[in-house]
Amino acid sequence: MGDRLVAAIIQQVERLVVHPDMGRVVHEFDQPFLRELIHAPFRIVYRRDPVRVRVVRVWRSERLLRLSPDTQGYDK
């Protein structure tokens, strides 16, 4: 079961290459470049930068999300 879960999460992340805006804005930070996909019970948090998408964290949804300051800033 763990292998299937990991494969499903990876498949979601791979879809971001074609559809980088498919996730919603992370409401805790309200920054348009910080987005998330929900794959219960996980949140896949990623940065939507101008030329790439970077996964920031895969996090259990019941835990409070805290990100480092460098993750929240926008660098080019």
Side-chain angles (χ1 to χ4, degrees), residues 30-63:
D30 196 29
Q31 298 292 323
F33 60 87
L34 195 58
R35 306 179 77 83
E36 68 181 346
L37 299 172
I38 304 299
H39 188 90
F42 294 98
R43 296 167 75 182
I44 304 162
V45 180
Y46 67 96
R47 284 181 56 125
R48 167 64 162 97
D49 292 336
V51 295
R52 64 180 170 201
V53 172
R54 293 186 288 169
V55 174
V56 174
R57 184 168 289 166
V58 178
W59 200 249
R60 290 205 45 111
S61 58
E62 69 271 6
R63 295 182 65 190

Side-chain angles (χ1 to χ4, degrees), residues 1 4 7 11 14 18 22-23 27 34 42 44 48-49 55-56 63 66 69 71 76:
M1 175 152 160
R4 286 189 307 191
Q11 184 177 36
E14 288 174 342
V18 177
M22 67 186 241
H27 68 274
L34 195 58
F42 294 98
I44 304 162
R48 167 64 162 97
D49 292 336
V55 174
V56 174
R63 295 182 65 190
R66 292 191 183 126
T71 304
K76 296 180 181 169

